[in-house]
Amino acid sequence: MAEVNVGIVGVGTYLPDRIMTAKEISEATKGVWTEDAVIQKLGIKKKFLPGPDDGTQEMGVKASLNCLKNTGVDAKDIDVILCMGEEWKEYPLTTSACYIQDAIGATNAWGIDVQNRCCTCVSAMKIAKDMLVADDSINTIMVCGGYRNGDFVDYTDKNMSMMYNLSAGGAAIILRKNYGKNLLLGSKIISDGSIARTAGVEIGGIAHPFTPDNIEEGYKSLRLIDPVRMKNRLNEVSVPNWYKCIDDSLAQAGMTRADLDYLSILHMKRSGHLGMLKDLGLTEDQAIYLEDYGHVGQCDQILSLELALKQGKVKDGSVVSMVAAGIGYVWSANIIKWG
């Protein structure tokens, strides 16, 4: 029996019309961060803000429709929708995958929401590949979703500068069994549950429910709940975990760091981005720094890949690694051989 391969048919993204500039971010911090520091240190020239019709699920729909248009795939040929969209959405306790399924006309699919915070794209792609390999009845999977967690950011919270970059948008990617090109060759995910509750939205859940007095604060309560513990642990394990994910996924593909051509990497502070490229032996031209987009959560990897394809940074033969990390804490990477 021939070995099953899984390839990427194509991608699609959606970004809102509204933007927030570095100057506006600086003003929102009440001058604690200067415009120059927002640009140079945090690495944000501008980011996207959702418009009135840009709900989390709706942006997932818009990105999915763009993906179908870009690839020429018939929505009726999709077997499964894995929604990577965030839990902050139009209606709590609704299933985003089912909403997207109906909105794009994927009448033959079934859908499920998966969650790994900003790691969800890479995690869902691993799940998709494993499903395609294991289940004879599944041939085509769409991974898609929207993101607007920036709604919860309090710019006057100095501990939260690492999340001033939170942006808005949607992304979608289609994977197909035995596609024969753009192959997903390896994936690695590491999680560290010891810091699972060191960051998150503190007010509005079961532990700290909304009251008449805390509603306004609650909607700006995405914060570091235990900043010292989180930062100490991340300083200890974050970089080694990331590189283990990259190296292990390369090993699965029978490759080494020397084979890497492009890093499809999430937005992070400028020094972290440049440091990772240096450690991996890559040039700045072998990635796209998303300083004009901000951090669109788990959509970053698809956005980066789409931009790289348009700019000719990824072409036939390119070896791509998607790299992500998410609150939880989770690190991940995959390897894709394009073409």
Side-chain angles (χ1 to χ4, degrees):
M1 183 175 162
E3 190 177 341
V4 173
N5 68 69
V6 172
I8 295 165
V9 184
V11 299
T13 57
Y14 168 79
L15 297 166
D17 294 328
R18 293 175 65 213
I19 62 163
M20 186 177 192
T21 63
K23 183 172 186 287
E24 289 168 323
I25 293 171
S26 168
E27 289 166 354
T29 72
K30 302 202 179 335
V32 173
W33 282 82
T34 65
E35 179 183 1
D36 188 61
V38 170
I39 293 170
Q40 297 305 327
K41 289 189 175 179
L42 297 181
I44 316 160
K45 290 183 176 176
K46 65 176 189 281
K47 64 175 191 170
F48 292 87
L49 298 178
D53 299 321
D54 293 324
T56 305
Q57 294 171 332
E58 211 58 58
M59 289 191 290
V61 169
K62 291 171 180 177
S64 299
L65 289 171
N66 285 336
C67 186
L68 293 173
K69 183 178 169 187
N70 293 342
T71 57
V73 170
D74 186 336
K76 291 181 174 57
D77 290 336
I78 297 171
D79 299 303
V80 179
I81 294 171
L82 295 180
C83 185
M84 63 173 186
E86 262 302 344
E87 292 177 307
W88 169 236
K89 56 196 173 189
E90 290 89 328
Y91 297 96
L93 305 187
T94 60
T95 304
S96 299
C98 296
Y99 180 80
I100 294 170
Q101 174 199 359
D102 180 66
I104 68 173
T107 50
N108 296 316
W110 59 270
I112 186 169
D113 294 356
V114 292
Q115 260 317 321
N116 226 183
R117 300 285 78 77
C118 298
C119 253
T120 315
C121 175
V122 178
S123 300
M125 287 174 66
K126 173 176 170 45
I127 292 168
K129 179 182 176 179
D130 292 348
M131 291 172 72
L132 287 162
V133 170
D135 191 330
D136 290 341
S137 70
I138 300 174
N139 290 294
T140 303
I141 295 179
M142 175 183 272
V143 173
C144 57
Y147 183 93
R148 52 178 289 173
N149 288 5
D151 292 356
F152 284 99
V153 173
D154 175 2
Y155 295 94
T156 64
D157 182 348
K158 294 173 189 173
N159 277 330
M160 280 297 296
S161 60
M162 66 178 285
M163 296 193 203
Y164 292 168
N165 63 351
L166 297 191
S167 190
I173 187 166
I174 294 174
L175 297 97
R176 182 166 279 169
K177 182 182 295 179
N178 292 330
Y179 190 57
K181 56 186 179 181
N182 311 332
L183 300 182
L184 177 55
L185 297 175
S187 302
K188 176 70 175 181
I189 303 162
I190 296 173
S191 63
D192 183 341
S194 72
I195 46 175
R197 287 186 176 174
T198 55
V201 176
E202 194 166 16
I203 298 169
I206 293 166
H208 299 286
F210 281 125
T211 69
D213 300 323
N214 70 9
I215 288 177
E216 196 172 329
E217 180 192 357
Y219 279 110
K220 292 293 176 190
S221 67
L222 174 55
R223 53 180 63 144
L224 304 189
I225 299 164
D226 190 345
V228 174
R229 185 164 159 231
M230 176 175 146
K231 287 175 179 177
N232 286 344
R233 184 64 177 156
L234 290 184
N235 286 338
E236 185 184 336
V237 302
S238 194
V239 171
N241 282 351
W242 241 332
Y243 293 159
K244 181 169 176 54
C245 287
I246 293 167
D247 291 336
D248 283 10
S249 52
L250 278 165
Q252 290 172 34
M255 298 178 186
T256 67
R257 292 183 187 184
D259 294 301
L260 282 176
D261 296 303
Y262 183 78
L263 201 66
S264 187
I265 184 172
L266 74 163
H267 183 273
M268 63 173 81
K269 66 181 181 180
R270 197 178 296 274
S271 60
H273 177 90
L274 295 174
M276 184 173 283
L277 290 177
K278 185 181 178 188
D279 288 349
L280 294 173
L282 300 172
T283 66
E284 287 184 51
D285 203 45
Q286 289 177 287
I288 293 172
Y289 190 51
L290 299 173
E291 60 189 358
D292 291 316
Y293 301 87
H295 177 37
V296 198
Q298 43 268 49
C299 302
D300 279 8
Q301 292 73 29
I302 295 173
L303 172 62
S304 179
L305 178 59
E306 183 176 65
L307 292 169
L309 288 165
K310 287 177 180 174
Q311 293 177 25
K313 291 178 186 286
V314 171
K315 45 193 182 287
D316 278 3
S318 294
V319 175
V320 176
S321 178
M322 288 182 167
V323 179
I327 286 169
Y329 222 90
V330 192
W331 299 262
S332 65
N334 66 24
I335 297 297
I336 299 159
K337 178 71 178 287
W338 202 261

